[in-house]
């Protein structure tokens, strides 16, 4: 016998009502399951909007990948961290670049400025005295005495052009990077037109708002780099 058709008889008058109740119950259960699925999708979508980003540093000389930061939405990168990293990137590019434009090189390497000049305080001169304005006297004297003679020889006798391909900077210890500066590790990849050279070393940053207003008070107080290949 088929249910409920064969039961729709005077002997079983409630058969049709029972069948309808069963159908309604099944539909309610299906609707409930669908609602639960939709709620699960909504919760999942909400969580994907709050993913925690990872910052990974990849060094150009083949070292392992390094986890730089995982803030998990609890911490924010402070402004002084970004300012220091930006200055290091710019300074390394100025230090290791040799342009095919002699006037451009002369401007960047120049020592014809002072701490009170517009080039160092306002940046009106573009990259003029860039290395001098971004570092203290000790670092610039080291560049002027030890590095500049080599660069001038390469520029004059060999017409060498150096282009900085990549600068990777990360703190030696995150906890010791503060608004007053800190120590950073650097890896710089330079293309000489013939080969790629990797320089690695350390830089220390200081802070003096009065002397270095152009760079928000930050300057390179120590800079030690070594060729790795």
């Amino acid at each position: 016998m088929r249910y409920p058709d064969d039961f729709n008889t005077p002997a079983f008058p409630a058969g049709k009502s029972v069948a309808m109740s069963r159908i309604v119950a099944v539909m309610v259960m299906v609707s409930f399951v669908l609602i639960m699925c939709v709620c699960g999708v909504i919760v999942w979508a909400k969580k994907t909007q709050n993913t925690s980003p990872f910052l990974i540093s990849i060094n150009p000389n083949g070292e392992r990948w390094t986890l730089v930061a995982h803030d998990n939405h609890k911490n924010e990168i402070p402004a002084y961290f970004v300012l220091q990293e930006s200055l290091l990137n710019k300074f390394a590019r100025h230090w290791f670049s040799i342009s095919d434009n002699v006037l451009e090189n002369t401007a960047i390497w120049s020592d014809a400025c002072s701490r009170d000049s517009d080039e160092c305080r306002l940046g009106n001169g573009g990259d003029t005295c860039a290395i001098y304005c971004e570092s203290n006297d000790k670092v610039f004297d080291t560049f002027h005495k030890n590095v500049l003679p080599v660069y001038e020889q390469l520029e004059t006798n060999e017409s060498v052009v150096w282009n900085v391909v990549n600068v990777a900077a990360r703190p030696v210890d995150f906890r010791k990077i503060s608004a007053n500066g800190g120590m950073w590790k650097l890896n710089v990849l330079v293309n000489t037109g013939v080969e790629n050279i990797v320089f690695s070393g350390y830089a220390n940053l200081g802070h003096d708002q009065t002397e270095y207003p152009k760079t928000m008070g930050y300057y390179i107080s120590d800079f030690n780099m070594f060729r790795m290949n």
Side-chain angles (χ1 to χ4, degrees):
M1 299 178 66
R2 292 183 302 169
Y3 183 87
D5 295 337
D6 292 341
F7 288 85
N8 189 17
T9 64
F12 191 57
K16 189 172 184 179
S17 299
V18 171
M20 291 299 296
S21 299
R22 185 180 64 174
I23 293 173
V24 171
V26 171
M27 293 178 64
V28 169
M29 289 298 297
V30 171
S31 300
F32 179 77
V33 172
L34 291 175
I35 291 173
M36 292 298 295
C37 292
V38 171
C39 291
V41 171
I42 293 174
V43 172
W44 174 81
K46 182 63 177 178
K47 288 185 176 180
T48 59
Q49 294 176 357
N50 295 319
T51 54
S52 300
F54 287 83
L55 300 180
I56 298 177
S57 172
I58 305 175
N59 295 317
N61 56 353
E63 295 182 10
R64 291 184 176 182
W65 291 13
T66 303
L67 178 63
V68 177
H70 177 212
D71 58 23
N72 199 26
H73 298 289
K74 295 180 180 179
N75 300 316
E76 294 182 356
I77 297 177
Y80 61 75
F81 188 99
V82 178
L83 289 173
Q84 292 179 48
E85 186 177 24
S86 175
L87 176 59
L88 281 168
N89 190 294
K90 186 184 299 183
F91 184 78
R93 291 181 183 278
H94 286 148
W95 184 286
F96 289 106
S97 293
I98 303 177
S99 173
D100 56 357
N101 187 328
V102 176
L103 294 179
E104 182 178 334
N105 293 331
T106 302
I108 293 175
W109 302 337
S110 176
D111 61 349
C113 303
S114 68
R115 299 297 174 195
D116 295 325
S117 64
D118 288 346
E119 289 82 1
C120 287
R121 301 193 69 82
L122 303 176
N124 291 344
D127 287 334
T128 301
C129 300
I131 295 179
Y132 173 81
C133 294
E134 294 166 355
S135 62
N136 62 6
D137 293 340
K138 172 189 171 183
V139 173
F140 183 76
D141 287 345
T142 299
F143 173 81
H144 210 257
K145 293 177 181 178
N146 301 329
V147 180
L148 184 57
V150 177
Y151 282 3
E152 289 178 335
Q153 182 178 2
L154 292 173
E155 177 189 49
T156 303
N157 299 335
E158 303 181 32
S159 300
V160 166
V161 176
W162 282 14
N163 293 308
V164 176
V165 178
N166 183 63
V167 178
R170 63 182 179 89
V172 174
D173 187 340
F174 280 94
R175 296 167 296 181
K176 295 183 179 180
I177 300 298
S178 68
N180 293 322
M183 181 172 288
W184 295 68
K185 182 179 180 181
L186 287 172
N187 287 291
V188 182
L189 178 63
V190 179
N191 181 270
T192 66
V194 178
E195 61 178 340
N196 288 332
I197 302 177
V198 176
F199 294 92
S200 184
Y202 297 87
N204 199 64
L205 273 73
H207 186 266
D208 188 331
Q209 188 66 46
T210 303
E211 291 291 325
Y212 301 89
K214 177 183 174 182
T215 55
M216 302 298 178
Y218 293 104
Y219 63 94
I220 310 298
S221 61
D222 200 8
F223 194 72
N224 297 290
M225 300 294 292
F226 308 94
R227 178 170 175 170
M228 304 303 293
N229 62 339

